[in-house]
Amino acid sequence: MAAKTLTIDGKQITAEEGETILQAATEAGIKIPTLCHLEGVYDIGACRLCLVEVTGTPKLLPACTLKVAEGMEVSTDTERLRKYRRMTLELLFAERNHVCAVCVANGHCELQTLAYSQGLDHVRYEYTFPKWSVDNTHRLFGMDHNRCILCTRCVRSCWHIEGAGTKNVSGRGGKSRIITDLNQPWGDSESCTECGKCVMSCPTGALFKKGSTVGESVRDRDKLEFIVNAREKKQWNA
Amino acid sequence: MSSNSTPVETPPAKNGTQAGHASGDKRFKILEVHMKKHQFRHDALIEVLHKAQELFGYLEDDLLLFISHKLKLPPSRVYGVATFYHFFTLKPQGQHTCVVCMGTACYVKGADQVVEAVQNELKIKAGETTADNKVSLLTARCIGACGIAPAVVYDGTVTPRQTPASTLEKINQWVKS
Ligand code: SF4
Ligand code: SF4
Ligand code: FES
Ligand code: FES
């Protein structure tokens, strides 16, 4: 495969054709913030946190879906990008009810970690305080829609890693929500294999193992990667 | 009333072949033929949902499940697509549903007058539900029963040769109950 030479934040790197900017940057040790990206499932470029600037292109582009090209000049950490990232995060916080102090994922939440790392100390937008429900019907797991950021990582891992297709998104815009089967209580789902991959994928405290209390929900992301490597590459490196 | 408002009898499935759906409702069979035309392809989902809505007036869970089984797609996917587009109507609010076929055959036999009569009686438009949540009025486009036009589906039962009078009678039973 043809190699491409490009620069990311002034650093000259080579990447293989077909790779994304996110992959190339990660290999070069440059960290780009992400939220909807999850190793092992395809990217959809939904959260816009990984936006980067490309010289000669006025639009900001998501690094997780942008493919490398010869001679590309990419910046990942400009003032303009930091401004947009903070805005995106603020909107996520304002859209649902993220009360970290009582969340199972407190301290292990990707949204929270990102907010800290981007220096977010207050939200300028009005909180919407929507009334979302909690689905506690499943034997092992629960879902709190108040903490869902609609990244669809659970949907993609349920469908493409586990293969069950139990979860999907219903509706659109502000009414979008994660559903189970035909919008049934999770506990009634016939397709759910109870594998827990959706819970492992969730960046926030929206999906949790039953019985976890504040701050207890540590994500087992390595397990997901292990499964993906085993299934796709036939490599069992636990 | 006369035989006018007796529900259409479901013919027993011939020589053991299961026709479409367990309920025997012919519309499922028509829908299945349509899916077959698309070779039950996953990417025909939207097209199939359109057809289903034409046939049934709205997309009930049972119908979505039927589609998901036939196309071999996760129910969550079918539900997701059906709720993404404003064009599709999911199960309406009302306790009872009245679906008037507005396909060509039914239309020329006066289905429009039936719709108008119901609209005036209930003070709602097609696609709406009465304030007390008793009745939802919907329309469909050819439900595959042209021979008995104009056809109206009351709570899932296809009923032949309806008139404004016979429809209002049925609806008023619901309203009073
Ligand atoms: S537990 Fe597994 S099968 Fe069930 S919804 Fe989660 S990912 Fe899908
Ligand atoms: S439940 Fe979690 S993984 Fe699923 S969309 Fe919401 S935040 Fe993302
Ligand atoms: S990680 Fe790239 S858009 Fe979400
Ligand atoms: S037009 Fe009404 S059934 Fe065909």
Side-chain angles (χ1 to χ4, degrees):
Chain A
M1 225 185 263
K4 306 276 171 194
T5 312
L6 62 154
T7 63
I8 302 184
D9 293 342
K11 189 170 171 181
Q12 182 136 23
I13 60 167
T14 37
E16 263 175 37
E17 187 176 1
E19 275 193 316
T20 64
I21 293 295
L22 181 62
Q23 284 171 319
T26 309
E27 278 158 28
I30 298 165
K31 198 159 164 35
I32 301 175
T34 60
L35 209 43
C36 66
H37 170 77
L38 179 69
E39 277 315 314
V41 293
Y42 63 94
D43 283 295
I44 51 166
C47 75
R48 316 314 270 180
L49 267 146
C50 69
L51 288 179
V52 294
E53 280 181 42
V54 179
T55 308
T57 315
K59 271 205 312 202
L60 302 176
L61 298 163
C64 67
T65 55
L66 181 64
K67 298 272 190 277
V68 296
E70 186 61 39
M72 218 179 200
E73 280 174 40
V74 181
S75 310
T76 74
D77 199 23
T78 63
E79 191 41 55
R80 180 172 169 222
L81 288 171
R82 280 195 292 269
K83 194 179 100 196
Y84 278 113
R85 276 180 198 140
R86 270 199 302 275
M87 201 164 92
T88 307
L89 285 166
E90 284 178 63
L91 288 168
L92 284 174
F93 275 101
E95 199 173 30
R96 297 214 174 169
N97 307 306
H98 295 274
V99 191
C100 303
V102 294
C103 179
V104 289
N106 194 6
H108 315 284
C109 170
E110 287 179 44
L111 179 63
Q112 190 184 40
T113 310
L114 265 176
Y116 286 147
S117 74
Q118 299 298 311
L120 193 94
D121 47 18
H122 68 286
V123 170
R124 288 164 297 173
Y125 307 105
E126 217 173 304
Y127 283 87
T128 54
F129 298 118
K131 285 214 177 357
W132 288 93
S133 57
V134 179
D135 183 344
N136 252 322
T137 57
H138 195 280
R139 197 167 65 91
L140 305 171
F141 316 119
M143 161 131 202
D144 184 349
H145 291 275
N146 291 291
R147 304 207 153 98
C148 176
I149 55 167
L150 294 166
C151 65
T152 73
R153 278 159 55 155
C154 56
V155 172
R156 285 172 286 151
S157 55
C158 181
W159 197 347
H160 294 267
I161 307 179
E162 175 60 5
T166 304
K167 297 206 175 281
N168 215 301
V169 189
S170 82
R172 62 156 75 197
K175 290 204 178 107
S176 305
R177 65 194 288 276
I178 298 296
I179 50 155
T180 313
D181 288 351
L182 275 191
N183 194 19
Q184 290 153 256
W186 196 355
D188 293 349
S189 167
E190 282 179 26
S191 62
C192 176
T193 63
E194 312 199 322
C195 69
K197 291 189 181 65
C198 53
V199 182
M200 295 177 211
S201 317
C202 184
T204 71
L207 288 168
F208 52 87
K209 278 202 193 105
K210 277 198 172 170
S212 353
T213 55
V214 176
E216 269 186 6
S217 200
V218 188
R219 306 291 163 178
D220 229 341
R221 217 82 80 214
D222 295 346
K223 220 176 236 169
L224 266 187
E225 268 180 60
F226 167 72
I227 287 287
V228 171
N229 282 329
R231 294 200 177 162
E232 288 178 3
K233 300 186 193 140
K234 306 278 175 246
Q235 287 170 0
W236 286 265
N237 36 0
Chain B
M1 280 262 327
S2 66
S3 62
N4 267 1
S5 54
T6 37
V8 173
E9 286 284 309
T10 311
K14 284 197 191 94
N15 52 30
T17 45
Q18 177 63 51
H21 184 261
S23 69
D25 188 329
K26 201 168 121 199
R27 292 175 291 172
F28 285 99
K29 189 75 208 164
I30 298 172
L31 185 60
E32 195 176 342
V33 169
H34 191 76
M35 289 191 260
K36 195 166 175 192
K37 216 172 77 192
H38 289 278
Q39 287 111 41
F40 298 97
R41 278 198 335 268
H42 285 175
D43 60 11
L45 176 59
I46 292 180
E47 178 58 40
V48 170
L49 288 171
H50 268 278
K51 186 71 185 177
Q53 176 138 325
E54 273 180 31
L55 281 165
F56 290 83
Y58 64 94
L59 305 169
E60 207 167 357
D61 282 3
D62 184 43
L63 178 56
L64 293 175
L65 212 53
F66 177 76
I67 294 171
S68 97
H69 285 330
K70 292 292 171 190
L71 294 185
K72 298 191 169 63
L73 272 170
S76 64
R77 168 76 178 162
V78 176
Y79 193 90
V81 171
T83 52
F84 183 81
Y85 297 98
H86 292 306
F87 173 83
F88 298 122
T89 313
L90 262 71
K91 187 176 169 39
Q93 304 276 309
Q95 267 171 44
H96 298 283
T97 53
C98 170
V99 183
V100 183
C101 179
M102 289 284 267
T104 314
C106 292
Y107 188 86
V108 298
K109 293 267 184 118
D112 56 328
Q113 285 150 38
V114 172
V115 172
E116 208 176 297
V118 180
Q119 291 189 143
N120 291 338
E121 182 77 9
L122 297 178
K123 314 256 176 319
I124 55 170
K125 288 204 219 51
E128 293 178 350
T129 301
T130 52
D132 61 1
N133 269 347
K134 276 238 167 100
V135 185
S136 296
L137 173 66
L138 299 123
T139 56
R141 248 182 61 198
C142 192
I143 62 171
C146 307
I148 55 163
V152 177
V153 192
Y154 301 105
D155 285 339
T157 307
V158 180
T159 315
R161 289 173 285 274
Q162 293 300 285
T163 61
S166 67
T167 308
L168 289 186
E169 190 183 306
K170 181 76 190 172
I171 286 200
N172 283 322
Q173 278 170 21
W174 284 342
V175 172
K176 278 191 219 102
S177 65

